[in-house]
Amino acid sequence: MSAAIDNAKAVLREQSRARLRLVSPLERMAASALLCALLQRQAEWRQARTVLLFVPLANEPDVTQLVAVALAAGKTVALPRFDPESQGYAAARIQNPHFDLHPGQYGIPEPNGNCEPQPLNQLDFTLVPGLAFDWNGRRLGRGQGYYDRLLASVSGVTCGVAFDPQIITAVPVAPHDMRLNYMLTPTRWLNISDGRAVLK
């Protein structure tokens, strides 16, 4: 069963990457602005005091504007930081993205060593990237399991963020795969637990 799931995920990753390549830079920019605006209208975001965001890869929704928005609103903002000892990701707080970030393990900007750790069990809201998602809160990552291991210790709301073409009928999952509470795209905010959708 595990081999079948792994094979299905590998095929889906290639399909998802191909779909993302069809989204032009201008389309990504416009769609990213829409989903960031939609998120800011939600009570779950407005009420959160401590949030874990991420620095996007080139083909992911650009949520970097939310860092400045959250800091201006007085929220505590954390980003993932690679921990060489555990060979996984933890979270660290930032106060100024211009000074607090440096190239991380995979060249992705992350909090530098001067940034204080943020306990994962004290988060109110976590935004989660991925290659593909479904409306049941299932997520396909990039195959290393980093986010699933991080999410296993996260408290509060977990929210997948994606472009609309990344949403598929069903993502194959293994027992260790973590399910999300909410989904956000440029056109929809969905509460997974009750199926309640807010459209753009």
Side-chain angles (χ1 to χ4, degrees), residues 40-176:
Q40 291 175 67
R41 296 199 295 269
Q42 309 312 316
E44 292 82 357
W45 167 264
R46 295 196 306 270
Q47 294 167 5
R49 303 311 306 156
T50 303
V51 298
L52 178 62
L53 305 179
F54 64 90
V55 176
L57 299 175
N59 62 358
E60 291 177 335
D62 186 354
V63 297
T64 52
Q65 66 172 277
L66 293 173
V67 173
V69 168
L71 289 170
K75 300 181 190 296
T76 297
V77 177
L79 295 173
R81 178 171 65 188
F82 190 77
D83 176 19
E85 185 173 333
S86 67
Q87 289 294 296
Y89 279 88
R93 295 189 290 270
I94 65 166
Q95 297 179 331
N96 188 323
H98 298 293
F99 298 109
D100 292 345
L101 303 183
H102 71 155
Q105 176 76 2
Y106 298 101
I108 303 169
E110 63 180 45
N112 62 41
N114 295 322
C115 296
E116 292 292 322
Q118 169 60 48
L120 296 173
N121 63 359
Q122 296 177 20
L123 292 167
D124 299 319
F125 188 98
T126 298
L127 209 56
V128 184
L131 281 173
F133 300 83
D134 63 29
W135 291 124
N136 291 310
R138 293 182 289 245
R139 166 186 171 273
L140 179 73
R142 296 179 182 273
Q144 302 299 318
Y146 289 132
Y147 256 93
D148 284 308
R149 291 195 294 274
L150 182 148
L151 289 171
S153 300
V154 162
S155 63
V157 170
T158 58
C159 176
V161 58
F163 298 121
D164 287 298
Q166 292 177 265
I167 307 299
I168 64 172
T169 302
V171 171
V173 293
H176 66 269

